[in-house]
Amino acid sequence: MSGGFLATPEAALIIVLVALLAHEPFRWLGAYLGRGLAGDSEIFVWVRAVATALVAGLVARLVLFPAGVLEAIPLAVRLTAVVAGIAVFLGARRHLGAGVFSAAAVLLALGILAK
Amino acid sequence: MSQHKGNDEDQGAAAGKPRNRSYRTFRDGLRVAMSVPGIILFASSAGFGALANDAGLSLFNAVLMMATFFALPAQVVLMDQLARGGSILAGAAAVALTGVRLVPMVVTILPWLRDDRPAVWRQLLALHAVAITAWLEGHRILPGVPENRRMHVFLGIGTGMIMTTLVGTTIGFELAGSVPPVLAGVLLFLTPIYFLLSLMKAATLAMDWLAIVVGSVMGPVFYVITPGFDLLLTGVIGGTICYVAGRRLDAVFEEPDE
């Protein structure tokens, strides 16, 4: 599964199959359950914890072990940008745009300096 | 114009207070794509496009992925898994775990979308649009919309958001291949930082914050120990630990963590 595989029609087929079999059904399931289940049921609290931990793990993987071009930017710069983004986000009353923009700006500035 | 009863336009055009402008039609919903959440979504889907280019997807496959999933975390999970040569089944299982969170989203948005003349394609489109941004905007806007207009407005919001992400993906994909590496790096970086801050934005319970910390620590550890199954294990083990611990914490403090 090297190099060009992700550009092939076979990869497109995998994408569509995974979307249709492993992802979209949860939206349909929600519509089915929606008649009998409250949105704040206990099972959903657990679901949220699992999804949150999983996505946080994905973020850490993308930042610590980037697969491509991002690798060229030093780890210290990447981590500094994440911390800056969190700081501005929290300082700006959890403003998503402010946090994302700040992190990107710090990464850009330090990334240029680090060259 | 004088004979025609242009209620929708009258309300909308009296844009003295843009915060209070009413949403009645599909087009009103579409316009939400131009708001701050829409712009953030645009930027993050540009990040996804850049990531897809970097991972070796064709533009067609990248746009196809954006359209068929319309949920960035699931897309990045699967793409990253395939790009690293991991197991497709483990990738699909991790995708499913991120997908489960859509169930409560649908359950809670559904009461706002009672359709008097339900058509299957409209239901499916509305359901497909359920992802964090459209869900949040739906909850913010729909309560102020007359009941019989809500489905139209939400379909507008969803369609606008989906189109935004498709354009964003295309632009990000093309930019990543043509800008200097540092700028491409910044585009790629949009995805993780957007995910992380979205998690923090949605966090209300001590459990949520705990899951963010535990997941960030456990993820890399499992990536080193069991590459290919790291996200699956991080989600199930880390999430369950946080659930149990969070419930204990809530019992101790009663008040949810700010």
Side-chain angles (χ1 to χ4, degrees):
Chain A
M1 194 169 298
S2 62
F5 173 73
L6 284 172
T8 60
E10 287 81 5
L13 188 66
I14 291 176
I15 288 169
V16 172
L17 283 179
V18 173
L20 217 58
L21 299 178
H23 194 257
E24 198 70 12
F26 291 107
R27 290 180 168 122
W28 305 332
L29 181 67
Y32 177 74
L33 293 176
R35 293 169 188 95
L37 207 54
D40 56 357
S41 299
E42 193 63 19
I43 178 84
F44 293 144
V45 180
W46 175 77
V47 163
R48 194 165 84 176
V50 169
T52 302
L54 194 156
V55 174
L58 174 66
V59 168
R61 187 167 95 175
L62 289 170
V63 172
L64 296 180
F65 312 104
V69 177
L70 199 52
E71 218 175 1
I73 297 176
L75 177 63
V77 172
R78 285 179 253 144
L79 290 178
T80 309
V82 170
V83 172
I86 294 173
V88 171
F89 168 77
L90 293 177
R93 295 180 179 187
R94 300 205 209 175
H95 193 289
L96 210 50
V100 171
F101 179 80
S102 309
V106 167
L107 189 81
L108 181 62
L110 293 182
I112 291 172
L113 283 177
K115 287 195 100 176
Chain B
M1 185 65 92
S2 55
Q3 298 280 31
H4 193 73
K5 41 176 181 167
N7 298 341
D8 300 352
E9 285 75 14
D10 293 347
Q11 292 284 350
K17 289 180 268 179
R19 282 279 157 197
N20 279 345
R21 66 181 301 280
S22 56
Y23 296 85
R24 295 285 181 89
T25 64
F26 181 81
R27 280 207 330 210
D28 292 334
L30 271 186
R31 235 172 272 138
V32 176
M34 299 297 170
S35 65
V36 171
I39 292 165
I40 295 173
L41 188 65
F42 176 79
S44 47
S45 52
F48 167 74
L51 212 55
N53 187 332
D54 203 44
L57 267 76
S58 58
L59 175 60
F60 176 82
N61 282 1
V63 172
L64 179 73
M65 195 171 208
M66 188 72 240
T68 50
F69 281 84
F70 192 58
L72 287 169
Q75 293 164 216
V76 179
V77 164
L78 181 65
M79 191 168 73
D80 210 44
Q81 182 83 357
L82 293 178
R84 288 170 202 255
S87 139
I88 294 175
L89 276 183
V95 162
L97 278 185
T98 72
V100 184
R101 82 191 193 296
L102 297 170
V103 175
M105 280 192 204
V106 171
V107 169
T108 50
I109 198 86
L110 220 55
W112 299 110
L113 297 177
R114 297 277 171 248
D115 202 350
D116 37 359
R117 45 187 188 90
V120 173
W121 71 267
R122 288 206 307 187
Q123 302 275 351
L124 288 180
L125 177 60
L127 286 175
H128 191 61
V130 175
I132 187 65
T133 305
W135 183 80
L136 282 175
E137 288 306 285
H139 272 289
R140 187 173 69 80
I141 290 166
L142 292 180
V145 177
E147 198 164 343
N148 61 340
R149 305 303 308 168
R150 282 176 187 155
M151 190 61 167
H152 301 270
V153 171
F154 187 72
L155 284 173
I157 295 174
T159 307
M161 293 296 174
I162 291 172
M163 290 191 326
T164 297
T165 59
L166 297 183
V167 175
T169 301
T170 306
I171 291 178
F173 189 97
E174 295 298 346
L175 277 181
S178 56
V179 296
V182 178
L183 273 180
V186 171
L187 274 174
L188 296 175
F189 196 66
L190 289 176
T191 300
I193 193 70
Y194 172 72
F195 285 178
L196 181 62
L197 297 185
S198 297
L199 291 180
M200 292 183 172
K201 177 127 183 141
T204 52
L205 306 169
M207 186 192 304
D208 301 324
W209 292 100
L210 204 59
I212 293 171
V213 174
V214 169
S216 321
V217 174
M218 229 178 223
V221 173
F222 277 126
Y223 179 67
V224 174
I225 305 176
T226 57
F229 296 87
D230 47 326
L231 295 181
L232 206 57
L233 294 173
T234 302
V236 173
I237 298 177
T240 304
I241 291 173
C242 293
Y243 170 76
V244 174
R247 274 301 178 228
R248 295 266 165 84
L249 279 176
D250 288 343
V252 173
F253 292 111
E254 281 189 4
E255 288 283 324
D257 196 354
E258 207 278 312

